[in-house]
Amino acid sequence: MKLYELGIKELKELYRKGEATPKQVIAELLQRTKQLNQKLNAFITVDDENASEQAKQSEKMVKQKDAPPLCGIPIAVKDIFTTKGIRTTCASRILENFVPPYDATVIRKLKDAGAIIVGKTNMDEFAMGSSTETSYFGPTRNPWALDTVPGGSSGGSASAVAADMAYGALGTDTGGSIRQPAALCGIVGLKPTYGRVSRYGMIAFASSLDQGGTMTKTVYDSALMLEAISGFDPKDSTSADVSVEPFTSLLSSGMSNITIGVPKEYFVEGMDADVEKAVNDAIAAMKSIGAKITDISLPHTRYAVAVYYILASSEASSNLARYDGVRYGYRSQHPQNLLDMYKCTRAEGFGREVKRRIMLGTFALSAGYYSAFYGKAQKARRLISDDFDRAFKQCDVVLAPTSPTPAFKLGSKLDDPLKMYLSDIFTIPLNLAGLPGISIPCGFTPDNLPIGMQLIGRHFDEKTILNAAHAYEQATQWYKHKPGIH
Ligand code: GLN
């Protein structure tokens, strides 16, 4: 087995035993990334120099017993997190040459934990999309089939981890952007409870929904990274002051005392037959390892996509007003006057999907329409959230497919926004409710494309979904399958 094929847990063991060194690991990884990134376009920026320097610095420390938890571990970061001195583009022309003067809180936490930041990964522009095709830097490809999308918007992070170009990655999830690409690339994606992970330095899309999280090869690694990046942050006004549990040591392989709810609304007509079968098999597997299974109902699910696209676009239209060419970012070259400068900067700097969202959001918030659209959507959001509260009286975890289909062909949904938006149908409801969710591999299609399922938990109960995911993963071992790309 090659070093790059390992998970974080195994690599840490090798470090401790002195059987591998960060310098060796980074050299191998950068070599692989150089080769593969030409095909996959998973990274916008690879920070060779910095990564090699950090590897050198962690050389001695990795062997020590009290080494920080991610010491010498190469991690990729979605290009939505500000990184001091490293260009941060959000995959947009408007931030093409933006080099932030500060680190996002999660970046600082990763560094404190000893991680090596290897680079910034590709994404849909401003995280708006489900396929990583709206990036100004071109689409990312799925390592399982190069003519398919990796999902999105954190598609670069998913592709990088699935293709063994990083041991773990950061993503963000506003309506599914961690879980859906994780499912389509056959890895583990965890969207924590809203407020668990600081949003400071995470470029804002829809502030009431955005949440940073982890993308890893195994559930254990996800728990480990979550421990490192979680915690109260006074710099984020919606950060929650709840203690960070030792998620890794709470993992056990047992499932007794866990009741899993299966929502009937998530098994809809039109769902891909392979996905349906894989998820049904997973339910049976959960039962065989001791979980109790019960049917539940989340009746307002059908409004989730509409509600989300009104609220997320409204918030985006307001958040993106800051890109005006004045203080930072792209500025149009030959404007006639100040107003023209604003207009041209935004017309030239933003891509089509971002403009579509700004227009949708501005319309939904405009006088006379505000209560008909935004106000109504807020009310429906509450009903969706109440559905989950009721469900969690009957069960501890909700199990559902992550995405209605496996990876789709590049270009197949790009000209049909509604089709693209509908691919988020199973991921969006829990963002609206602020709940944690984890997507884990649960099988493959006959064409060898990965399928994922998600486990949804109560607020701040990451512990229980991590545990259930871990028990299932150990029993089924899907994570051992690799795309085998060279
Ligand atoms: N696909 C959804 C959207 O385009 C979700 C994106 C996300 O979670 N960042 O809005």
Side-chain angles (χ1 to χ4, degrees), residues 52 91 145 305 329 378 404 434 468 473:
S52 306
V305 173
Q378 287 286 41
E473 174 193 77

mmCIF file of all heavy atoms in Angstrom, residues 52 91 145 305 329 378 404 434 468 473:
data_model
loop_
_atom_site.group_PDB
_atom_site.id
_atom_site.type_symbol
_atom_site.label_atom_id
_atom_site.label_comp_id
_atom_site.label_asym_id
_atom_site.label_seq_id
_atom_site.Cartn_x
_atom_site.Cartn_y
_atom_site.Cartn_z
ATOM 1 N N SER A 52 6.054 21.958 1.773
ATOM 2 C CA SER A 52 7.340 21.301 2.020
ATOM 3 C C SER A 52 8.003 21.887 3.260
ATOM 4 O O SER A 52 8.599 21.166 4.070
ATOM 5 C CB SER A 52 8.286 21.486 0.827
ATOM 6 O OG SER A 52 7.647 21.047 -0.337
ATOM 7 N N ALA A 91 -13.349 30.686 -6.352
ATOM 8 C CA ALA A 91 -13.557 30.241 -7.741
ATOM 9 C C ALA A 91 -14.238 31.298 -8.600
ATOM 10 O O ALA A 91 -14.964 30.988 -9.549
ATOM 11 C CB ALA A 91 -14.317 28.920 -7.805
ATOM 12 N N ALA A 145 -14.904 8.505 -12.691
ATOM 13 C CA ALA A 145 -15.232 8.512 -14.128
ATOM 14 C C ALA A 145 -15.009 9.935 -14.601
ATOM 15 O O ALA A 145 -15.737 10.841 -14.209
ATOM 16 C CB ALA A 145 -16.671 8.083 -14.365
ATOM 17 N N VAL A 305 -36.830 22.684 -1.385
ATOM 18 C CA VAL A 305 -36.010 23.244 -2.461
ATOM 19 C C VAL A 305 -36.438 24.681 -2.760
ATOM 20 O O VAL A 305 -35.597 25.586 -2.874
ATOM 21 C CB VAL A 305 -36.069 22.358 -3.732
ATOM 22 C CG1 VAL A 305 -35.354 23.025 -4.898
ATOM 23 C CG2 VAL A 305 -35.427 20.998 -3.454
ATOM 24 N N GLY A 329 -10.342 43.014 -4.755
ATOM 25 C CA GLY A 329 -10.886 42.191 -5.829
ATOM 26 C C GLY A 329 -10.786 42.885 -7.176
ATOM 27 O O GLY A 329 -10.181 43.955 -7.324
ATOM 28 N N GLN A 378 -39.623 31.973 5.104
ATOM 29 C CA GLN A 378 -39.196 31.868 6.505
ATOM 30 C C GLN A 378 -40.170 31.013 7.317
ATOM 31 O O GLN A 378 -39.775 30.217 8.158
ATOM 32 C CB GLN A 378 -39.108 33.259 7.156
ATOM 33 C CG GLN A 378 -37.925 34.087 6.704
ATOM 34 C CD GLN A 378 -36.617 33.601 7.311
ATOM 35 O OE1 GLN A 378 -36.367 32.412 7.410
ATOM 36 N NE2 GLN A 378 -35.763 34.536 7.716
ATOM 37 N N PRO A 404 -30.281 12.035 -5.082
ATOM 38 C CA PRO A 404 -31.175 11.109 -5.797
ATOM 39 C C PRO A 404 -30.492 10.330 -6.917
ATOM 40 O O PRO A 404 -31.016 9.339 -7.381
ATOM 41 C CB PRO A 404 -32.265 12.032 -6.358
ATOM 42 C CG PRO A 404 -31.729 13.418 -6.258
ATOM 43 C CD PRO A 404 -30.688 13.438 -5.199
ATOM 44 N N GLY A 434 -30.777 23.552 10.472
ATOM 45 C CA GLY A 434 -29.522 23.749 11.215
ATOM 46 C C GLY A 434 -28.941 22.474 11.804
ATOM 47 O O GLY A 434 -28.069 22.522 12.676
ATOM 48 N N ALA A 468 -23.012 5.952 14.649
ATOM 49 C CA ALA A 468 -23.778 5.075 13.751
ATOM 50 C C ALA A 468 -23.035 4.904 12.426
ATOM 51 O O ALA A 468 -22.954 3.797 11.876
ATOM 52 C CB ALA A 468 -25.167 5.661 13.519
ATOM 53 N N GLU A 473 -19.781 1.679 8.782
ATOM 54 C CA GLU A 473 -18.567 1.653 7.960
ATOM 55 C C GLU A 473 -17.701 0.432 8.291
ATOM 56 O O GLU A 473 -17.196 -0.251 7.394
ATOM 57 C CB GLU A 473 -17.777 2.943 8.211
ATOM 58 C CG GLU A 473 -16.427 3.004 7.532
ATOM 59 C CD GLU A 473 -15.585 4.147 8.076
ATOM 60 O OE1 GLU A 473 -15.029 4.010 9.186
ATOM 61 O OE2 GLU A 473 -15.508 5.182 7.407
#
